[in-house]
Structures are given as C-alpha cells and as structure tokens.
Amino acid sequence: MSFSRPVQAIRLYRAALSGHAHRVQLFLSLLDLPFEMIDIDLRAGEQRKPEFLAKNPFGQVPVIEDGDITLADSNAILVYLASKYGAASWLPRDPLAAATVQRFLSLAAGEIFRGPASARLVTLFGMPLDHAAACATAEQLFAILEPHLASQAFLTGPQVTIADVAAYSYIAHAPEGGVALDAYPNIRAWLGRVEALPGFVAMQASRPALAA
C-alpha cells in the first residue's frame, strides 16, 4: 500500500504492448493508486499528434498526468511515484542503496532495451534493428543476472525496489523476441517473485509475427 494518495486518479497514456508503459502500470497497481489508462495507437501515429506532443515532445509513451504535473519517461515516472507515494523501500534514501537501484534503472535503459526489448521490437513490430545482435546482448545480460539472482530474492537484495519494476516487463517477455528463458532458472524464479507481489498486473502477451 502507498503512504499517500493522489487527489484524483492519475492518468496513464500508454500502449498495451509497450514494456515501458507496463512498468508504470505495474507500479501504479503495486502502490494501489487510483489511475486510468488512455491507450495511444502508435501504429496510427497518435503519438505524433500535436495534443500528445504537448505532453511529451519526443512522441513516446508512457506519460502520466498527476494533477497539474505531466511527466514522461518510464524510469523517471517510477522515481516520481516512489518518491511521492511509495514506502521508502521502493527507492532507498541510503546513498549506496539508492545508487544500486539507479544502476539497474540504467541497465533497463541500456542492456535491457538493447537486448530483449529490441529483439521483441523486431519480431513483433518489424523494426529495422539487428535481431541477432539484440539476442546476443540479451543472452550476455542474462548470463550476468542468472548468478546474481542465485543468492538474493530481488535485483538489489532481499527487498523489492523500483529496479525490479523497471527490469521485469521486457525480461518476462523476452521469449516474444526469440530469447528463451529456459536456461535461466534463477531469473525465472525472480520473475515469479515479482508476479507474486500483491497488486501485480501482467503485460498483454503477443505472439511474435510469423516470418514472411
């Protein structure tokens, strides 16, 4: 449960198959905050319309509106929500613990995006990216995370943080990009622990597009 509540429901602009948007949806649900979702049709180009660009000039989801605050970027939104509405354990104030969380937020924007997220962009949406390179990056990442999770429940230690929320969606859906998780039992166990959290909501699954 969250420690404070928004005055009105938070508005989340998202796309159902976006892992970035799912991070925010998941965290809003884990915090048990009132929110409403507004779907943005990326294929139809709604993210490039002036009314959406006024919310995020980069034309990307997710975006939240919390009263008179409009904020884009999934990891920035996680930090905002944790700082404003969450228990301190979600984003520790201790310098080393906070830095450890930040390390995994950077990983989410780096290797997780270049690896499992990019592989999924190719198979699901036909993005002109190097699928083999993305799969290789994902496998290198998983080879590091697998022993890392052998002796601890969550990415930064025994307690769940926004690091886990930021990393979960694209790793859980890595098979949609052609990256199997069968060889990584510790990663699969960690995914299970995230999925067992009160308030967990899954991201919509999508079968990879068939090869032409």
Side-chain angles (χ1 to χ4, degrees):
M1 298 289 290
S2 59
F3 281 11
S4 60
R5 307 286 291 178
V7 175
Q8 59 194 51
I10 294 171
R11 305 186 80 189
L12 167 61
Y13 296 84
R14 63 127 198 192
L17 295 179
S18 165
H20 288 76
H22 179 254
R23 290 173 187 165
V24 177
Q25 178 191 357
L26 173 58
F27 195 40
L28 286 165
S29 185
L30 292 174
L31 293 179
D32 192 30
L33 295 175
F35 68 98
E36 59 176 311
M37 295 188 293
I38 299 95
D39 285 316
I40 301 299
D41 190 338
L42 302 182
R43 291 186 182 275
E46 288 185 3
Q47 75 277 19
R48 296 189 294 273
K49 292 184 176 180
E51 55 267 32
F52 187 80
L53 291 175
K55 304 179 191 300
N56 182 5
F58 290 100
Q60 299 168 339
V61 293
V63 173
I64 65 165
E65 291 175 338
D66 182 17
D68 59 358
I69 293 172
T70 300
L71 185 62
D73 183 88
S74 61
N75 287 342
I77 293 170
L78 294 183
V79 170
Y80 169 81
L81 293 174
S83 300
K84 186 168 184 179
Y85 298 116
S89 56
W90 286 108
L91 181 59
R93 284 18 173 202
D94 171 76
L96 179 57
T100 304
V101 170
Q102 179 57 56
R103 176 188 175 206
F104 283 98
L105 296 183
S106 297
L107 195 76
E111 285 81 353
I112 291 175
F113 177 74
R114 295 197 302 270
S118 291
R120 185 172 172 272
L121 285 173
V122 175
T123 57
L124 290 188
F125 307 109
M127 294 289 288
L129 303 171
D130 188 330
H131 185 255
C135 289
T137 297
E139 289 165 359
Q140 291 167 2
L141 169 66
F142 294 167
I144 292 171
L145 291 182
E146 177 66 13
H148 175 76
L149 287 163
S151 59
Q152 58 189 52
F154 295 101
L155 289 177
T156 65
Q159 178 70 46
V160 65
T161 69
I162 60 171
D164 301 282
V165 180
Y168 171 83
S169 304
Y170 285 121
I171 293 179
H173 288 257
E176 293 181 349
V179 183
L181 295 174
D182 301 32
Y184 309 104
N186 294 330
I187 291 176
R188 288 186 281 110
W190 162 72
L191 293 173
R193 286 188 287 272
V194 174
E195 290 159 6
L197 295 171
F200 172 82
V201 289
M203 182 168 74
Q204 178 179 317
S206 178
R207 296 178 60 187
L210 297 177

